[in-house]
Amino acid sequence: MARLLRSCFWAKGILQECFDEKVTPTAFSDSSSALTVSSRVGMGQLKHVELRLLTIQDWVAEKRFALGKIGTLDNTADVGTKFLVGPRARELSEAIGIR
């Protein structure tokens, strides 16, 4: 995720430079746990957290990007991350432009 966000920051810089517009990239997730951990400060009682996740917490606190919730049924990332069959696989594939 950190690599993707760095790419977003790069694109954000170009858009701000070319169009003089303030842009805030938004990352969406259907995981309540991921959203909670990313929006808080520090590890708390979490164990075995990678340091890069703390960087994401800092970026959220600095408002360099926003976090958003996406419903499980609307999450097109499931095409590449979950085993899907039948109508659900077709529905999500069509949503991202795969036939």
Side-chain angles (χ1 to χ4, degrees), residues 3-19:
R3 188 174 301 161
L4 173 64
L5 290 174
R6 284 189 188 101
S7 298
C8 286
F9 296 150
W10 176 81
K12 172 185 171 179
I14 289 176
L15 289 171
Q16 285 182 221
E17 184 71 27
C18 293
F19 301 107

Side-chain angles (χ1 to χ4, degrees), residues 2 11-12 18 23 46 50 62-63 65 67 70 73-74 77 86-87:
K12 172 185 171 179
C18 293
V23 179
L46 293 173
E50 295 182 29
E62 295 167 1
K63 298 189 186 317
F65 78 97
L67 294 172
I70 189 167
L73 295 177
D74 299 324

